[in-house]
Amino acid sequence: MKLKKMKNISSKVFNILFMAVAIFFISNHSLSENFFNEAKQKFDQKKYEDSKFLFQRNIVFNPKDAESYLFLAKIYKNEENEKEEIKNLNTTLLLDPRNEEAMHLLINYELKKSNYSKVKELKENFSSICKNLCKKLENIEKSLADIEPKNGS
């Protein structure tokens, strides 16, 4: 009798804990979506400081959200903080290697630095993943030709 009562109590405790954990994860997921959506709105309104805070907060709840890192990279580019821009672009590509926008932004950064070998490598990757930004390949090729090392230089 006592054993049956203990099993019944254990079952109820387990169910309560399971429900609490489920509610926690569901509420966290919706919270992170709210942070992302609100951050995106702030970004679109050019309220970069508020947007940055919300994207960072979203990353706390969803550390594998490549889009948040991409938007942070754009914010840091606007702030002319190259170190943070590149860190966030690299994180975006680590989480989503097929993110053509992040790849294109990184290529533009490397072009600005005249890093021929890195641009060439990134361009190869970009050409294999591009779907929406393929038209940018021509500009990349032209820019790459402008910085190509010349023999005898």
Side-chain angles (χ1 to χ4, degrees), residues 129-142:
I129 66 167
C130 77
K131 290 182 181 167
N132 300 318
L133 299 176
C134 292
K135 292 178 182 174
K136 306 280 186 181
L137 272 170
E138 191 176 307
N139 292 339
I140 294 168
E141 288 286 349
K142 183 183 179 318

Side-chain angles (χ1 to χ4, degrees), residues 73-87:
K74 292 176 183 181
I75 291 167
Y76 287 119
K77 178 182 173 82
N78 185 61
E79 293 176 351
E80 298 178 8
N81 184 340
E82 289 181 354
K83 181 181 174 190
E84 290 298 316
E85 174 191 358
I86 298 311
K87 182 175 86 172

Side-chain angles (χ1 to χ4, degrees), residues 140-152:
I140 294 168
E141 288 286 349
K142 183 183 179 318
S143 298
L144 196 56
D146 292 342
I147 64 169
E148 186 173 5
K150 308 288 186 242
N151 288 337

Side-chain angles (χ1 to χ4, degrees), residues 89-126:
L89 286 174
N90 285 328
T91 302
T92 301
L93 290 168
L94 180 67
L95 295 170
D96 181 8
R98 302 191 64 79
N99 189 312
E100 61 185 302
E101 186 176 7
M103 182 80 66
H104 185 257
L105 289 170
L106 192 55
I107 289 170
N108 284 338
Y109 172 80
E110 295 297 344
L111 279 170
K112 189 172 83 174
K113 296 294 182 189
S114 297
N115 189 344
Y116 175 78
S117 58
K118 187 67 175 177
V119 172
K120 194 170 179 178
E121 173 191 331
L122 290 169
K123 182 195 75 76
E124 294 302 317
N125 292 338
F126 183 73

